[in-house]
Amino acid sequence: MDRWNGNLYATDDELMGGFKPKSGDMRLSDERVLRHLTGAPPRTTPSARSEAIATVLHESTHAGLATDAPGEPNAVRSSQSVGLMEGVAEVHAMENFEAFAERAGYPDLPTPIPTYPGAYAATSDLLSQVTGPAMTRRTLLDEAIRGPGVMHFDQFANAAVQNRLRDVVPDRAADQQAVRAALISTMTHVYWPTIQHRPASAGESLGNEIRQHLNAKIDEIRQHYSPGQTQPFPAESPNQLAVQAAQPAAQSEAPKTKPDAEAAAPARAGTSTAPEMRFLTGLAPAAGATRKAPSLGQGQKGAGSNHRGPTTERELD
């Protein structure tokens, strides 16, 4: 999809660029991006021009995918998806930079350094963990940039099933969804919401920790599907609101013994509507997010990178 409405604004603030999903507007920094992408005599360097082109490709990636999927049981509608969305956009920009720059009329430029090194490192490592002959890195990345963003973890989990569990997991919808849900639980680490603000070493550490949990869960799934096993792997989908909505009307209309208590009680971890819905509607993000923590749906590039001076970062809000 293409959510950009065709309006491009030059800005004079510290952000290099951003996309507003509600309006469909795109904005790019006049000083840090646009002036490096003109046909006039260059007032730039190859590295600055590379970064500007990478910014355009990164923001275009955000504009080209849907964000939310409230009806999907395996949608991760929480701040964890933001880090992976930024990582997917950054990996896509880096791995397609040369072709994109050449098509745009700027060949032979150096490959830029990732603006979000932590998100890039973690996402690239996770791609390596789940891809293989049945679903390649290129295939998964192409699928991910079509979105929805909250389904990125499910898309990665599906790649893991296809490449590492295809011989044991039955080709039944219930089994496939349950196994993906179980794998998602190993990937949705507490550091994802802020990984875009962290260095590459933090992304590598995140990838290594996920690898341990993912490998252990894959072994557990293999043991579950021993000969004669007919029940799906026991797992809870991350989007319990969608699960509840899909239950038969008779169950949803059944009388509740303690309506007040149930209404006041928080949902299970990972499915709480409070931080997720607050996050999705652009209000205050979950605790632990940085000062400029993103909200699901918009790409921005602004302040915070340790690699390019005081102001280089992308974020969603």
Side-chain angles (χ1 to χ4, degrees), residues 187-198:
M187 301 179 192
T188 49
H189 196 281
V190 67
Y191 286 157
W192 275 115
T194 57
I195 194 62
Q196 66 266 36
H197 305 290
R198 298 173 180 268

Side-chain angles (χ1 to χ4, degrees), residues 11 38 52 102 109 116 135 159 210 218 231 238 267 283 314:
T11 66
T38 67
E102 185 172 348
L109 287 176
Y116 274 177
M135 179 171 283
I210 290 176
I218 286 176
Q231 296 299 316
L283 301 178
R314 297 188 185 96

